[in-house]
Amino acid sequence: AAREAAGTSEVCAMTEIGRLLTAMVTPFRADGSVDYDQAGELAKALLASGSDGIVLTGTTGETPTLSIEEQVEVWRAVRRAVGPDATLVGGASTNSTSESLEMVTQGADAGMSALMFTVPYYNKPPQEGLFRHFRTLAEATPLPCILYNIPGRTSLNVTAETTLRLAREVPNIVGIKEASGDMAQVGAIVDGAPEGFRVWSGDDSAAVDIVERGGWGVISVASHLVGRQISAMLAAAAAGQIEEARRLEAGLTPLFNVLFIETNPIPVKFALNHVGFRVGGLRLPMIEASEAAQAKVSAELAKHQVDLPIPV
């Protein structure tokens, strides 16, 4: 009822978010500082190679090692680079509600189209705590908000019941990035959600399954490299052309898998540097890819046409 009373503005804003979003890495300079200029260049390249929008300062962006000030400046720098119309989603949460609010309240002014909230990690609140955390953050911004459920990182699953309660009671919570790996849970969310609530896969390898089940798209890592191909895969799945979607998926699955041979974003940062798009290293406790991982990623990349435009 709350969503219906709020009208259609949230649905309209949400629709613009798109099916294929890239969870973008954060480029660093040699001294470990954030390379804001290169972040803008990478975002432009991703939008030119099939992505409908970009998720900034998420897990792939190494946000546990970025300050709030650095994260907000990434938002501002990328918005300046891509212009006013591109879809940008800002990852805007930690495991502290009050600390998260420092970012959330800056999202609109920094030019974000939407915000994304990750399930709090380490402190493991009960489901009621999750509900209040997400509601508090969403109510602090006029922007559409996407939940992010990734138990493998947070050690805590947001249940379908909690997700649906948020979808029904908080009008600007418009979707979820689901990386639980539990298709029954995904199905329960798709079946029970209000009209217009979207489910994005949090795993490239599950994208076709989730779209076939009624989900919307994927927030992708592999789209750094093969965005147009993933976009075609999603379009086929959304059109009900499942055989074609599965054919495209089969060709991309080895790449999906190798990009997680070590903890994300270690392999994808190596892959980007390897193909010639400079994104620098990683901040501790993340480290460079092992020699074995480098060899496997390099070998798989050699089998693919990379969509990302590489600076000359």
Side-chain angles (χ1 to χ4, degrees), residues 204-205 221-222 225-226 250-272 274 289-304:
D204 287 298
S205 58
V221 172
L225 303 156
V226 289
L252 293 170
T253 294
L255 180 63
F256 295 164
N257 291 339
V258 82
L259 290 177
F260 284 82
I261 194 171
E262 292 180 346
T263 305
N264 180 50
I266 292 172
V268 72
K269 269 201 156 179
F270 168 78
L272 286 165
H274 181 75
S290 66
E291 290 185 6
Q294 290 183 31
K296 291 178 180 178
V297 173
S298 300
E300 187 58 37
L301 284 171
K303 302 173 186 176
H304 295 271

Side-chain angles (χ1 to χ4, degrees), residues 82-142:
V82 302
D85 298 326
T87 297
L88 299 179
V89 180
S93 62
T94 70
N95 60 344
S96 164
T97 306
S98 60
E99 184 176 275
S100 300
L101 284 169
E102 295 181 42
M103 289 184 284
V104 169
T105 55
Q106 297 183 71
D109 181 67
M112 293 299 94
S113 312
L115 298 176
M116 187 172 74
F117 306 143
T118 304
V119 169
Y121 44 88
Y122 187 74
N123 44 16
K124 298 184 71 172
Q127 294 296 309
E128 179 63 25
L130 287 178
F131 175 82
R132 295 185 196 180
H133 171 79
F134 288 132
R135 182 183 62 187
T136 298
L137 299 185
E139 288 178 344
T141 180

Side-chain angles (χ1 to χ4, degrees), residues 7-65:
T8 60
S9 60
E10 292 86 5
V11 175
C12 293
M14 176 276 302
T15 302
E16 298 171 359
I17 296 175
R19 291 189 187 275
L20 175 58
L21 306 178
T22 297
M24 197 180 89
V25 305
T26 299
F28 294 131
R29 300 187 182 93
D31 64 0
S33 61
V34 177
D35 192 335
Y36 297 107
D37 291 339
Q38 192 69 343
E41 293 303 310
L42 178 57
K44 289 192 292 184
L46 292 170
L47 292 168
S49 61
S51 294
D52 298 320
I54 310 294
V55 175
L56 303 168
T57 62
T59 306
T60 309
E62 297 180 70
T63 50
T65 63

Side-chain angles (χ1 to χ4, degrees), residues 175-178 186 189-190 197-201 210 215-218:
I176 186 169
K177 177 184 178 181
E178 250 292 341
V186 170
I189 295 169
V190 169
F197 186 85
R198 305 299 197 202
V199 178
W200 286 267
S201 174
I210 286 180
W216 181 243
V218 64

